[in-house]
Every structure is written in structure tokens, then in C-alpha cells.
Amino acid sequence: MADFRYVICDVFTDRPLEGNPLAVFTDARGIPDALLLPLAREMHLSETVFCYPARGTGHVRIRIFTPRHELPFAGHPVLGAAFVLAAPLQLPEIVLETGGGPVPVRIERDGPRIVFGRMVQPIPKVEPVPDPAPLLRALGIARAALPVELYDNGPRHVYVALGSEAEVAALEPDFSALARLYPRATTNCFAGAGSRWKTRAFAPGSGTQEDPATGSAAGPLACHLARHGRIPFGEEIEIRQGAEIHRPSVLFARVDGDAAAITRVEVGGSAVTVARGEFRLPD
């Protein structure tokens, strides 16, 4: 029998059973490639991480799977894996090699316990959504409060601004229509003001109708808000997500640069380990 051990942590929260759960297979060297996607399906979480020895200058190489496909980069898997892997290493920063390049995560501790992490995310590419009308119909809304745009930092994210947080909370999307429109992208609907924002993320095409905390979307959301004058460049915002599916999450994001050129994107949050286990499968 082959033993494949994993850790489950809840990410973008400091409270167990909240945030976005993540499975981390801390040593995937013995897992055949053909089993990675079936294991991710078996975990039935929005993402599962498989860890390997580094190939370059990073500390660990990771691969990230949804229940349907592999991702080059994703936020809550990177942050959760950093918490799990950095705990015994006592490093001030851990660099994870992803399919989208190396991602450094700066670690903050209270004594030996990790309490917070900040990752430097890939700078996203931006493109307009030329005809947002089908998307707005799928969301059940008449108009967006800002231009509807798509950001690509490995995963692809579409951003739709609503007029109030109450409108965001009341959304009841047509998930079948969203999956047809964006089979490999997440639709992010948000509202707020100043340093506090509320968002909901829908990714039925990736096997997750609503995501509790979308780290890869937090950085581009800050970019979107700064580019359209809703927040200043260089100031951190707090993003609340997941309340509607009973997994409240808190994410922090900051973008440096200006409207002409974004120079740095940071996303931070907490995580807590809640379970450990193993798969015992025939060789």
C-alpha cells in the first residue's frame, strides 16, 4: 500500500472551520501524476496542493489542482501551503515555485506560531470585456458601476462592481450560464468604499459554484479599484468574502504603482491547520 499524507488548513481566517479549506500533500514525490487530479477530486475542495523539492532558487515547488484542472497559480493554495511548510522551518520568508513563477511569502510570527503571511503575486494582465450584457444577465443585474474587465495572473478573473454591499449579498447567479460564458474564469462581484470591500466569487466552470476566499482575485481587485480611482495606490484594503456560504474570510491586498504601470501586488491573510490524514492506496 502507498501512503500519501496530507494536511488540511483553513485559509484567510484565524478561526477553524471558516475561510477557504485547502488540502496540502506535503511530499508528493511518490504520487503518480495520473493520480493528482483524482486525488483533488476526492478531496472535493476548491484547490489541492502537491509539494515537491524545489527546482530553482525557491524552497519548495508546488502544483495546484482544482477538481477539474491544474492551475499555474492560485492565492489561497500558496498562502495555505506557506503556513504548512514554513511552520517547522522557522524562515522569515518562504519562496514557493509555482507554474506561474516563484512566489515569495513573508511570514509573521507570534513566538513560534505563524499568525500572518503576505505573498507577492504576479502582476496581472488586463483586458476589457467587450460585451458584458450576457454576463450581467447571468448575474441578474442591470448594470455595473465600473467597466467590466478581465484580469489574468495565472487564473482569470472578471470583475463586476455593484452599487452596494447589500446588492452583492443578494446575488443569485445563473451558474449554468456563468459556466458557459467563462468555463475557466472566476466572476467576482464586489462593492464597498475606502479600505473595506465585500466580494463574492463564482467559478462554476472550475467546479466551485461560490468560493469562500479567492486569494488570486484579491490582488487584481485592488488593481481594478486603484486603476479606476476608487482607492489610492499603495494603501492596503480589507476584503470580506464567504459569508453567504457560511465560510467568512478576510483578505488584505495592496497594489503599488500608478494607472500607467502596476509595479507590485501583495495579498495577505491568516491560516489555521485543522486536520491531518493519509490515503492508503494499492501500489
Side-chain angles (χ1 to χ4, degrees), residues 112-178:
R113 185 170 64 92
I114 300 175
V115 295
F116 202 85
R118 295 181 189 275
M119 76 185 90
V120 178
Q121 294 191 341
I123 294 173
K125 300 175 183 177
V126 188
E127 60 187 79
V129 174
D131 180 15
L135 174 59
L136 299 184
R137 284 195 297 271
L139 293 169
I141 61 175
R143 59 180 296 275
L146 290 175
V148 178
E149 294 177 327
L150 187 147
Y151 290 69
D152 188 338
N153 61 356
R156 291 163 60 84
H157 296 284
V158 179
Y159 291 88
V160 181
L162 275 65
S164 70
E165 293 188 15
E167 291 178 51
V168 175
L171 286 171
E172 295 183 1
D174 180 338
F175 290 113
S176 295
L178 285 182

Side-chain angles (χ1 to χ4, degrees), residues 27-269:
D27 184 356
R29 287 174 294 179
I31 304 178
D33 276 7
L35 282 183
L36 299 180
L37 186 56
L39 283 169
R41 290 180 181 140
E42 185 76 7
M43 300 308 300
H44 201 59
L45 302 174
S46 57
E47 280 107 11
T48 295
V49 168
F50 300 91
C51 302
Y52 303 86
R55 288 177 171 171
T57 58
H59 295 97
V60 180
R61 180 171 68 95
I62 64 171
R63 296 178 68 181
I64 304 166
F65 283 79
T66 76
R68 295 190 180 178
H69 51 253
E70 186 171 5
L71 293 173
F73 166 76
H76 108 274
V78 166
L79 185 65
F83 267 70
V84 169
L85 298 170
L89 299 178
Q90 294 299 305
L91 295 170
E93 180 178 271
I94 185 168
V95 179
L96 301 181
E97 297 176 359
T98 74
V103 179
V105 184
R106 190 168 68 254
I107 301 299
E108 299 177 12
R109 286 182 166 84
D110 180 6
R113 185 170 64 92
I114 300 175
V115 295
F116 202 85
R118 295 181 189 275
M119 76 185 90
V120 178
Q121 294 191 341
I123 294 173
K125 300 175 183 177
V126 188
E127 60 187 79
V129 174
D131 180 15
L135 174 59
L136 299 184
R137 284 195 297 271
L139 293 169
I141 61 175
R143 59 180 296 275
L146 290 175
V148 178
E149 294 177 327
L150 187 147
Y151 290 69
D152 188 338
N153 61 356
R156 291 163 60 84
H157 296 284
V158 179
Y159 291 88
V160 181
L162 275 65
S164 70
E165 293 188 15
E167 291 178 51
V168 175
L171 286 171
E172 295 183 1
D174 180 338
F175 290 113
S176 295
L178 285 182
R180 289 194 300 271
L181 288 168
Y182 293 104
R184 295 292 293 266
T186 300
T187 300
N188 300 272
C189 300
F190 64 92
S195 63
R196 292 177 62 89
W197 294 81
K198 175 183 178 63
T199 187
R200 294 176 69 186
F202 308 112
S206 296
T208 302
Q209 286 195 335
E210 182 165 357
D211 200 34
T214 316
S216 61
L221 175 57
C223 295
H224 192 59
L225 293 169
R227 289 180 59 246
H228 292 287
R230 294 298 182 91
I231 63 170
F233 283 89
E235 291 194 12
E236 186 171 79
I237 61 171
E238 177 185 293
I239 303 165
R240 299 269 173 175
Q241 187 178 341
E244 287 72 21
I245 53 174
H246 311 293
R247 302 286 307 199
S249 308
V250 184
L251 306 85
F252 297 88
R254 190 189 79 194
V255 55
D256 295 331
D258 55 35
I262 294 167
T263 58
R264 185 180 177 92
V265 179
E266 281 193 358
V267 171

